[in-house]
Every structure is written in structure tokens, then in C-alpha cells.
Amino acid sequence: MSDFDLVVRGNIVDADAVVQDGWIGIRDGRVAARGQCLGGADAPMARDRVDARGLWIVPGVVDGQVHAASQANQEGLGHASRAAAAGGVTTMVDMPYDDPEPVACRASLDAKIAEVERDCHVDVALYGTLNDIHGLGAAGGLIEGGVCAFKFSTFEASPGRFPRVEEDLLYEAFRLIAPSGLACGVHNQNQELTRKNIARMVEAGDTGWDAFMRAHTPLIENLATAGIYEIGAETGARAHVVHVSTARGFEIHDMYRRSGHAVSIETCVQYLMLNHEEHTRRFGAKTKHYPPIRPKEEVELLWTHIARGDCTFVSSDHVSWGLERKQNPNVFKNSSGGPGLETLLPAFWTGCEDRGISPTMVTRQLSANPARHFLLHDRKGGLAVGQDADLALLKPERYAFDPAGSLSAVQWSSFEGMEFSVRVSATYCRGRLAYDGAIRNEAGFGRFLRPATGASR
């Protein structure tokens, strides 16, 4: 009788080391044992065995920024979870700004949890938010209901759905949430300067492909970043900036971190792999994100912070806008964001490999660190004995990414044609095959994830 349900053999990438020709034994959906095939030894017997020699075995990705429901009737959690599995993502952390109503009360959260458990192919944790309709008092119900973090914005991206929270209310929200130990994530954008710049440029007819970046100067982002961290310092809350695209943002974060404040910082893979001169010129509004895609020089500065381990984690900021929301000749009238669940892992791996950064950095930035940030690290983010058997197999292979076969709700991408150095060969969620070129598990296999009570950060 075999000791394991499944044994996978290959090159294991942990957060601190690479184990050549290692094996992972899985039982009841969790990692039960590990080892290395030394001196010609074979991996142990199991009911099923996967020989992935020559492939990388990485912990399943925890994508800390997914917007599966920003456009009503477009994607939804179930559809997004299929793209996640295809991208080696075994945990989606979904944002609360759903269309038409954000997740700002317990009833909305409970309805979304039911959607996860009915439709999803991978596991899901959920952000909550607070708004004028339900008030700050809704925070307690959301915390009790199992949100893993809260999200706010210093800019109104969409009236009602994605409102601005002014600084005095942000202070009160942070103060209220601080005792829970959950992170307060904030979209970092100065609204007044943004609107002044856009109004001036629209009046001048300056609305072409390159206008969005020039309207959204680094100062607009950096002022908001500093304000978010200062409110965190005043309240003792865990202040998290959800998408930093400037090296100065990392310097601001470091000032607060060195002073002992509970701060964290996130960037998205598009700010590391796309640049204004090449990709925005080529794809126009398809690369419209907030913050904007920056020039090559700024991109390379961001990579110095990745190499030094200054970043808390890297995410996709995935949203599957229909192309009709990306084709207006006036760049300011297009939606911000784009699909990214399938490109996060291969793109970031490629960027690290091309710069001589160890694969262990991929595991830290995409799995271990986000799992710890959202207080899921007792189960997720690694391949230690006792953790959920979430893993992806990566085949070393140079190829040009083609979104035509995407499993997300749309088949376009600003990564189209980019050469990646690894391909997701298979994805396992809690020991079950979820993807190997096609979706292999059933809708509803995914579980809702609550943060660990009293988990250390």
C-alpha cells in the first residue's frame, strides 16, 4: 500500500533554496513529506506519480490583486478562476469593487463567498471595503465574515462602485480596522492633481496614446503613497499601497519601514515588464493601467528594488475589460487595467531570469510573501510539510505569448508577442490536478479562505 496519494518529482523552488531533483509526497490534499533523489535513488511510491524531471516545481501563486467582477456580466469569479489555474495561480485574492455594488457589508460578502464555493476552480480570499451607504460600522461584520484585508482609494475611479475616501474618513477606517491585524490596502492617486491635469490636456486636444502617462505624473502617485503611510503611522494600522510604479514610492515605503511602522508595498508585473516607449506606443490604451506604464529608465529602477527584496509582493491587477472599453481614440475615456492571471507567473519568472535574479525570488514575491501578507501562510504560499499541496509545474521553454487561447473572459493582452522563458505545464490545487492544458477539476472545487486567527505577520 502506497504512503501517498501523489508524488511529484522535479526541481523544487522554495522561498530560500532550489532543491534539484526533489520530490513532494501529497496525502489528503496536503504536503505530507519531501525529499531529494540522491545517488540514483527513486522517489517513493504513490497511488499516482508525476515525473517532472527537468521542470520547475513552484508553490501555487497567490495573486493578491484580482478584479473578477469589475464589469457586470463579463467574467465573474468562476471564469477568472479558470484563467488562474492556467497561470499557475491557486489562490486569487479578489478586490471588493464589484459592479454594480462593492462588497461593503456582510450580506454582500456572504453572497460572494457563495459564488466562490459554487463556481471556482481554485481557492479564493476576499477583500472588503467600507462606503457611505453601509458606513464604517460594517467593518465588524466583514471582519467576522472572513475578509483577508480592506481596500480603499484616494481617487474616485467609478462613482459608487469605486469611490474616493477622503483622508479624514480614511483615518477613521484605519483606526477601526487596526486591532484586527488586517491590512488596509489603498489605491494611491491624488485626485485633485489628476483631474486638473486631465482637464487641461483635454481642453488642448492632447488625448493621444502617450497622454495618459504625462497626465499622471510621478508626483500624483508619490504624494498619495506618502499620505497613506502617514495615516498608517498615526493609527497603527497595517498600511499597504497596492500598486507602486516609481522607485520613489519604494524609497518612501522604506522610510516608514525603517521607522518601525507596519507598512507594506506591492507592485504589479506590468510595471516591471512593460514600458512606455515600446509597449504603450505599440498597444495604446490596452496598456492603460493606473498607475501608468512608466518609461524604460523607471522600469529598470523598479527591478533594483525587486533584486534587493524591498517589495512585499508582486500581483497582476487582473481585470478582463471587453475591448470596447479599450478602443476610444481619447485615451482618457478608456478603462484602466487588463487581463493578467495567465501572464503573472511566466512574465515575472522571465524578468527575473533575464536579470540573473534567483527563481527563489519568484516564489517569495508571488507565493510566500502574499500568503503571509493576507494571513494565509498557515496553509498557502509554500511547499512545507503540512501546507496545502498547491503547486505549478513550469516547463523551461522560450515562446511568444499568444492571448488567443486565453481562458479568461477576453482574448487580448498587452503581453501579446512577449517572449517568456517558462510555460505553465500543470497546476495542482490542494493536491488535485486543476489544469494541464485544459481545466481538469470541477467548478466548486475552490474554497473560500479565511485569514488565520491570531496568525503572526
Side-chain angles (χ1 to χ4, degrees):
M1 185 173 180
S2 62
D3 291 331
F4 306 107
D5 301 324
L6 174 67
V7 165
V8 183
R9 178 178 180 179
N11 299 322
I12 304 170
V13 184
D14 291 314
D16 55 359
V18 176
V19 179
Q20 298 288 340
D21 199 9
W23 58 266
I24 297 172
I26 298 165
R27 186 188 307 118
D28 298 329
R30 294 191 174 186
V31 177
R34 289 182 46 157
Q36 190 174 13
C37 297
L38 299 172
D42 196 5
M45 296 302 295
R47 187 183 67 206
D48 295 304
R49 297 209 301 176
V50 174
D51 188 344
R53 278 177 283 184
L55 276 63
W56 302 101
I57 304 173
V58 300
V61 170
V62 178
D63 190 344
Q65 190 170 177
V66 178
H67 299 261
S70 290
Q71 184 175 351
N73 305 313
Q74 172 70 2
E75 185 166 54
L77 285 166
H79 202 149
S81 74
R82 295 167 60 86
V89 175
T90 52
T91 299
M92 300 191 304
V93 183
D94 201 67
M95 287 292 182
Y97 295 123
D98 298 352
D99 185 10
E101 297 291 336
V103 179
C105 68
R106 179 63 181 271
S108 295
L109 174 63
D110 289 344
K112 196 165 183 177
I113 292 170
E115 181 185 352
V116 170
E117 296 178 342
R118 182 190 68 226
D119 296 342
C120 286
H121 296 265
V122 301
D123 293 343
V124 180
L126 296 174
Y127 266 92
T129 191
L130 302 173
N131 65 7
D132 290 340
I133 296 174
H134 300 285
L136 297 181
L142 290 166
I143 293 167
E144 182 182 311
V147 297
C148 66
F150 282 84
K151 173 72 180 293
F152 305 101
S153 179
T154 57
F155 180 84
E156 183 175 273
S158 174
R161 184 181 70 83
F162 201 137
R164 177 186 174 175
V165 179
E166 295 186 354
E167 283 73 13
D168 55 344
L169 287 177
L170 197 59
Y171 173 90
E172 292 299 331
F174 273 41
R175 189 175 61 82
L176 190 62
I177 295 163
S180 72
L182 300 180
C184 297
V186 188
H187 174 112
N188 50 327
Q189 181 176 3
N190 181 287
Q191 178 159 300
E192 290 74 18
L193 290 181
T194 297
R195 289 185 168 174
K196 283 182 180 180
N197 282 354
I198 291 175
R200 173 178 51 79
M201 294 174 73
V202 168
E203 185 178 2
D206 184 4
T207 60
W209 69 270
D210 63 337
F212 187 76
M213 186 198 73
R214 290 185 289 105
H216 295 80
T217 63
L219 182 63
I220 285 173
E221 179 182 340
N222 296 337
L223 282 175
T225 295
I228 293 159
Y229 288 142
E230 188 59 27
I231 292 172
E234 287 277 343
T235 60
R238 293 175 57 204
H240 178 70
V241 179
V242 301
H243 37 43
V244 171
S245 70
T246 68
R248 178 60 183 158
F250 278 88
E251 293 169 1
I252 295 168
H253 166 263
D254 194 52
M255 288 193 304
Y256 282 89
R257 182 186 62 81
R258 287 178 180 274
S259 296
H261 299 295
V263 294
S264 50
I265 189 168
E266 175 184 350
T267 192
C268 305
V269 70
Q270 54 267 27
Y271 303 122
L272 298 168
M273 297 301 290
L274 306 178
N275 65 70
H276 179 74
E277 299 93 325
E278 179 183 351
H279 301 99
T280 304
R281 180 183 292 275
R282 177 183 176 191
F283 292 115
K286 286 183 179 178
T287 69
K288 182 183 174 185
H289 292 264
Y290 190 82
I293 301 302
R294 300 294 183 186
K296 290 179 182 179
E297 182 179 12
E298 192 71 38
V299 171
E300 292 308 317
L301 286 174
L302 287 184
W303 274 107
T304 67
H305 291 284
I306 294 293
R308 289 201 297 260
D310 297 340
C311 191
T312 307
F313 64 93
V314 176
S315 66
S316 74
D317 202 3
H318 168 91
V319 57
S320 283
W321 296 124
L323 268 181
E324 73 278 2
R325 301 182 71 153
K326 286 288 191 175
Q327 295 177 325
N328 197 300
N330 180 341
V331 70
F332 298 114
K333 293 185 176 181
N334 293 287
S335 297
S336 292
L341 281 161
E342 288 162 290
T343 48
L344 171 59
L345 174 54
F348 186 62
W349 181 287
T350 301
C352 286
E353 183 176 299
D354 289 350
R355 289 166 178 82
I357 300 173
S358 171
T360 59
M361 183 63 76
V362 178
T363 294
R364 289 201 294 275
Q365 291 292 328
L366 300 190
S367 303
N369 289 5
R372 179 169 291 277
H373 177 83
F374 294 108
L375 308 184
L376 305 172
H377 54 293
D378 59 327
R379 295 147 283 167
K380 304 295 184 181
L383 295 171
V385 172
Q387 289 190 294
D388 286 352
D390 294 348
L391 56 93
L393 304 183
L394 303 182
K395 180 181 180 182
E397 176 183 351
R398 286 274 172 181
Y399 65 100
F401 177 68
D402 182 0
S406 172
L407 296 188
S408 76
V410 294
Q411 282 70 52
W412 66 268
S413 171
S414 53
F415 290 90
E416 180 181 353
M418 183 175 289
E419 186 177 80
F420 293 153
S421 62
V422 290
R423 187 188 297 274
V424 177
S425 176
T427 302
Y428 292 81
C429 183
R430 286 180 278 112
R432 279 274 302 277
L433 180 65
Y435 172 84
D436 64 354
I439 297 297
R440 298 301 182 188
N441 65 356
E442 66 277 5
F445 178 81
R447 292 177 180 169
F448 170 63
L449 302 173
R450 294 173 175 269
T453 302
S456 60
R457 297 190 292 275

